[in-house]
Amino acid sequence: MSDPARILIIEDDAVTAEEMSGILRDAGFVVAHADTLPAGLARAAADPFHAIVLDRMLPGGDGIDAIDTLRASRAGAMILMVSALGRAANRIEGLDRGADDYLAKPFETQELTARIRALLRRADPVAEAGLMQFGALQIRTKARTVHAGDTHIPLSPREFDLLVFFARNHGDLVTRMQLLEHVWNLHFDPQTNVVDVHVSRLRRKLETAMDVPVLHTERGAGYVFDPLRPAAEG
Amino acid sequence: MHLTTAQRLAAAIAGAVLLVSALALVTQYVLVKRDLMARQTTLVQADLAGFAALYDQRRIIAVRQAIEFRLAQDSTADMAIALWDRRSEPLAGNIQNWPPRGMVVPAEGATTPVQFVTLGDQPYLGTARMLAGGFALMVARSTASMNAVLAQMRRLIAAALAAIAVIGALTGHFASRWILRKITRINALADQVAGGDLSARLPGPADPDEFGTLQRHFHHMLDRVEALNRATHHLSDTVAHELRTPLTRIQARLSRLNAGNDSAALQEEIRSTVRIFDSLLEIARAEAEEGQGTALPLNLSDLLVEICELYEPLADTLDIAFRTDIAPAVTILGDRNLIAQLISNLLDNALKFSPPGQSVTVSLAADDPRHLMRVSDTGRGLPPGFEAHLFDRFARADPTGAAPGHGLGLALVKAVALRHGAKLSLPATDKGFAIEIAWPKVVET
């Protein structure tokens, strides 16, 4: 990444804010913090930010009511709501009210960085032109086909959606919750790791055709899609 | 016929009043009749004794004169007196034939008991004595006037009972209508509340009677339920905030420690804790919102297909046959996410309790008045006696803890189903476990 992305955290709990700042700085972002809603709005209006991490229950109001104001003052900034109101209904409400993503507290470190990265990618879409290419792997999003070189890889519609989500976040960690939310539109955490089975199937199909590892498992966290990794390493 | 409680009460009161009145009147009648009979009996016995005594002292002539005199004195003409000789020839009195119909002939010197006889087709109460020398003497009094009195009394009793029955029925009817109206008001309120409108109240001031008290109690109870409901909502938000914030700090610091396996295990513990209270909050919220209805139409068929598709590969890996029979375009009113979670919990359970080689079947059928969704498996089924606790929070079929989970899955299934007005049942199966959810059909308006 050329210029580090700037991120504003609007969060009243000092310890949480401190930890979030630390996590995001470690991940290579430039971080600013505001601890009340009015202060956050003022800061967002004054300086440009690529993403805003917005709490809900804040001194000065509910962050969800500030989404429209933030959008008006800082168009282009992606908004990630991070809230203790973590029931599925709360998440859906947040997304309906205009948040770009919604993360419930408590969250895992990787979950926060993964979601911020995914949001920054969405904010700055590389011209896809209907074709995404990773080495020999070609994904045609309009025709919904996948090829390894000249070999067609047959995928189910859901597997295709899964692959596209991975491809759009290539090189970055993608968590199970992200997959459930974006690929299946489900906002709860099932007891069994159903997602893992789907990822395994997709991986098997891709790697049979590609002969190189495509999907890497990050233990306990999620997956990284990077067909070019072994080539880069040697 | 179906009777309301008020009607039953009215009928019982009217019936009791009628019964008591009838008993009193009939008793009165019997006493009067007995008294009249006794008086007649005494009169005829006294008359007979008088004539017999006269015969003993003054013989036939005197008796004949006395009889004629007595008959002449009888202005009401309801006396019959006669004397016959040993050939049954009448010597005096107003009866020709001896013995009259119904009269037993007494032995000489003996007297018959007072008995009913028929004289000239009229009923009489009489007694006879065979005087010394074979003269038969009889004294009788007509029972016509007594019977007339008794008949009159019977008519009066019948009329009185009929009047009491009518008045009782009318009073009962109006009383029951009056009570019913008051109860119906309160029932209508209860229906409204059961329908989810906790803020419903009866308009106007409460009556100054027991129904007014009932109404006030009911209102107090509703105020309390409403307050509790609000408190539940507030509590779930507060609990969420107060518990999640420290957990967030713990988790963030934990990741800083970067202790490898231990850290990952602790992260997983936190995740699991969060999942438990997420489930509890969802259950509490769904229960609090029970019957409130959702206005959003949901294509249940599509959602079920999606979730089945999510679980199908897992079943495949577990070597469990996964079958679906889902009717298309079944629509209900509901919250997509809650129902997705319900289906997910059912499939989780079905797969969890089915050993390899078994099968899980999911079906959905459009029906009237309810759409039937069924998830069944040929797995281990329920341990005996577990059915009663199946939907309780933290109820686990496998108490050893070998199977993952916290026993909240079916509690949430139940809360979500009731939240949507659906009915849960456990159809009998030869093997394994089956659960059926009957979703209310969308009423077209």
Side-chain angles (χ1 to χ4, degrees):
Chain A
M1 229 173 275
S2 49
D3 235 11
R6 296 170 52 80
I7 295 166
L8 173 64
I9 298 172
I10 308 178
E11 161 71 63
D12 61 324
D13 183 68
V15 179
T16 307
E18 183 63 31
E19 293 297 341
M20 284 201 288
S21 302
I23 293 164
L24 293 176
R25 270 192 204 103
D26 289 353
F29 299 110
V30 174
V31 182
H33 170 231
D35 58 5
T36 65
L37 192 57
L41 290 174
R43 191 70 201 271
D47 299 323
F49 289 100
H50 297 97
I52 298 169
V53 175
L54 181 61
D55 192 13
R56 278 195 68 169
M57 294 190 243
L58 285 166
D62 186 339
I64 208 167
D65 299 322
I67 293 175
D68 290 341
T69 322
L70 281 172
R71 287 249 182 271
S73 66
R74 187 57 64 196
M78 301 302 277
I79 298 175
L80 171 64
M81 298 220 76
V82 177
S83 171
L85 297 177
R87 293 187 310 115
N90 301 130
R91 297 178 200 209
I92 292 165
E93 184 195 8
L95 297 175
D96 282 350
R97 294 280 295 272
D100 294 297
D101 202 355
Y102 195 108
L103 180 59
K105 286 178 185 174
F107 49 83
E108 285 163 36
T109 317
Q110 304 98 323
E111 192 80 47
L112 179 65
T113 47
R115 282 174 192 257
I116 289 285
R117 287 219 166 88
L119 283 183
L120 293 174
R121 279 180 186 265
R122 262 169 63 191
D124 183 23
V126 185
E128 277 176 12
L131 175 70
M132 288 189 278
Q133 186 144 13
F134 305 90
L137 189 71
Q138 296 174 327
I139 306 167
R140 288 181 176 77
T141 48
K142 296 253 164 57
R144 294 180 69 86
T145 56
V146 182
H147 288 85
D150 293 332
T151 321
H152 174 244
I153 307 175
L155 294 182
S156 74
R158 192 68 71 185
E159 284 166 341
F160 185 81
D161 293 340
L162 195 55
L163 177 59
V164 168
F165 188 79
F166 275 128
R168 292 208 168 116
N169 294 289
H170 65 90
D172 288 338
L173 175 77
V174 170
T175 65
R176 291 185 186 85
M177 279 306 288
Q178 275 181 294
L179 292 174
L180 272 170
E181 285 172 23
H182 291 100
V183 179
W184 279 275
N185 188 21
L186 294 177
H187 298 266
F188 59 91
D189 187 5
Q191 283 176 38
T192 37
N193 277 337
V194 274
V195 170
D196 293 342
V197 187
H198 282 269
V199 174
S200 304
R201 281 196 165 188
L202 176 65
R203 173 190 281 149
R204 211 162 40 241
K205 287 189 180 179
L206 293 176
E207 294 181 359
T208 310
M210 296 279 293
D211 270 337
V212 288
V214 173
L215 275 163
H216 312 273
T217 305
E218 296 281 307
R219 240 164 54 80
Y223 302 94
V224 176
F225 172 83
D226 194 353
L228 307 174
R229 189 189 278 185
E233 280 167 2
Chain B
M1 193 174 75
H2 181 74
L3 288 177
T4 66
T5 304
Q7 283 167 338
R8 253 181 258 231
L9 187 67
I13 291 173
V17 169
L18 190 62
L19 188 71
V20 169
S21 311
L23 269 176
L25 290 170
V26 168
T27 308
Q28 178 86 350
Y29 174 82
V30 168
L31 288 176
V32 167
K33 185 177 177 182
R34 197 182 292 165
D35 186 57
L36 284 174
M37 286 285 287
R39 232 185 278 176
Q40 291 278 71
T41 306
T42 318
L43 279 175
V44 290
Q45 280 173 334
D47 278 339
L48 187 76
F51 290 121
L54 201 62
Y55 175 76
D56 288 344
Q57 292 160 19
R58 314 248 316 261
R59 313 313 293 182
I60 287 295
I61 308 297
V63 175
R64 286 174 71 177
Q65 281 173 351
I67 289 173
E68 299 308 334
F69 181 75
R70 185 78 178 83
L71 285 174
Q73 292 283 303
D74 178 30
S75 56
T76 56
D78 65 352
M79 283 199 76
I81 312 172
L83 181 69
W84 294 271
D85 64 14
R86 65 181 64 219
R87 294 188 310 279
S88 298
E89 286 296 323
L91 299 177
N94 53 1
I95 312 164
Q96 295 303 308
N97 300 317
W98 170 260
R101 200 141 45 92
M103 177 58 79
V104 180
V105 177
E108 194 164 310
T111 309
T112 66
V114 178
Q115 58 188 283
F116 283 102
V117 287
T118 307
L119 301 171
D121 292 336
Q122 293 298 311
Y124 278 73
L125 203 56
T127 178
R129 184 177 188 133
M130 193 57 78
L131 300 173
F135 296 93
L137 172 66
M138 188 185 88
V139 176
R141 278 174 176 267
S142 167
T143 58
S145 63
M146 182 181 90
N147 285 346
V149 168
L150 289 175
Q152 171 89 357
M153 216 177 146
R154 282 196 301 274
R155 278 194 300 277
L156 272 172
I157 287 173
L161 288 180
I164 289 169
V166 169
I167 291 169
L170 282 176
T171 313
H173 174 70
F174 286 114
S176 82
R177 280 239 321 235
W178 182 72
I179 293 172
L180 219 56
R181 216 178 42 238
K182 299 201 164 217
I183 292 177
T184 307
R185 264 179 96 219
I186 293 174
N187 271 337
L189 173 63
D191 281 345
Q192 222 176 327
V193 172
D197 182 7
L198 286 181
S199 61
R201 295 292 183 274
L202 289 174
D207 297 336
D209 58 10
E210 292 88 339
F211 292 102
T213 313
L214 179 62
Q215 179 179 330
R216 275 194 302 277
H217 283 326
F218 211 84
H219 281 180
H220 283 158
M221 203 175 75
L222 286 177
D223 290 344
R224 184 121 184 80
V225 170
E226 222 188 346
L228 283 173
N229 196 45
R230 263 199 304 274
T232 309
H233 283 215
H234 182 67
L235 181 73
S236 60
D237 290 352
T238 312
V239 164
H241 189 253
E242 297 305 322
L243 259 151
R244 283 173 196 264
T245 304
L247 278 172
T248 311
R249 296 179 191 169
I250 293 172
Q251 202 157 32
R253 287 181 173 173
L254 204 57
S255 67
R256 286 275 176 115
L257 290 177
N258 207 4
N261 280 348
D262 283 352
S263 171
L266 285 173
Q267 299 267 16
E268 185 48 43
E269 288 293 333
I270 293 176
R271 244 183 99 190
S272 155
T273 310
V274 171
R275 205 182 294 148
I276 293 174
F277 76 68
D278 272 350
S279 294
L280 285 173
L281 290 180
E282 291 285 9
I283 293 167
R285 188 60 77 108
E287 280 175 351
E289 289 172 353
E290 188 181 322
Q292 283 179 26
T294 12
L296 291 177
L298 169 74
N299 187 324
L300 186 60
S301 307
D302 286 356
L303 181 62
L304 192 55
V305 168
E306 275 177 48
I307 312 281
C308 284
E309 194 193 275
L310 177 66
Y311 277 84
E312 198 272 328
L314 178 64
D316 197 37
T317 5
L318 295 170
D319 192 21
I320 293 168
F322 197 82
R323 302 193 187 103
T324 56
D325 177 15
I326 299 166
V330 173
T331 305
I332 59 169
L333 292 180
D335 179 318
R336 178 183 184 275
N337 192 73
L338 282 179
I339 294 174
Q341 206 163 343
L342 174 149
I343 299 167
S344 160
N345 285 1
L346 290 179
L347 294 181
D348 267 334
N349 274 353
L351 293 176
K352 193 161 71 181
F353 294 110
S354 297
Q358 297 304 318
S359 67
V360 170
T361 308
V362 180
S363 67
L364 175 67
D367 210 337
D368 202 10
R370 284 167 181 275
H371 303 307
L372 299 180
M373 185 173 104
R374 182 191 279 228
V375 176
S376 57
D377 63 66
T378 57
R380 274 178 268 155
L382 296 178
F386 189 64
E387 262 171 53
H389 309 290
L390 192 59
F391 296 106
D392 293 352
R393 289 173 177 81
F394 302 109
R396 303 183 61 182
D398 178 9
T400 60
H406 300 284
L408 289 171
L410 284 179
L412 183 63
V413 165
K414 183 184 178 188
V416 171
L418 295 183
R419 161 80 178 78
H420 290 89
K423 288 181 179 162
L424 283 172
S425 58
L426 303 175
T429 48
D430 293 338
K431 186 165 183 279
F433 175 75
I435 185 165
E436 190 169 81
I437 300 180
W439 300 96
K441 207 178 151 165
V442 180
V443 182
E444 317 227 337
T445 48

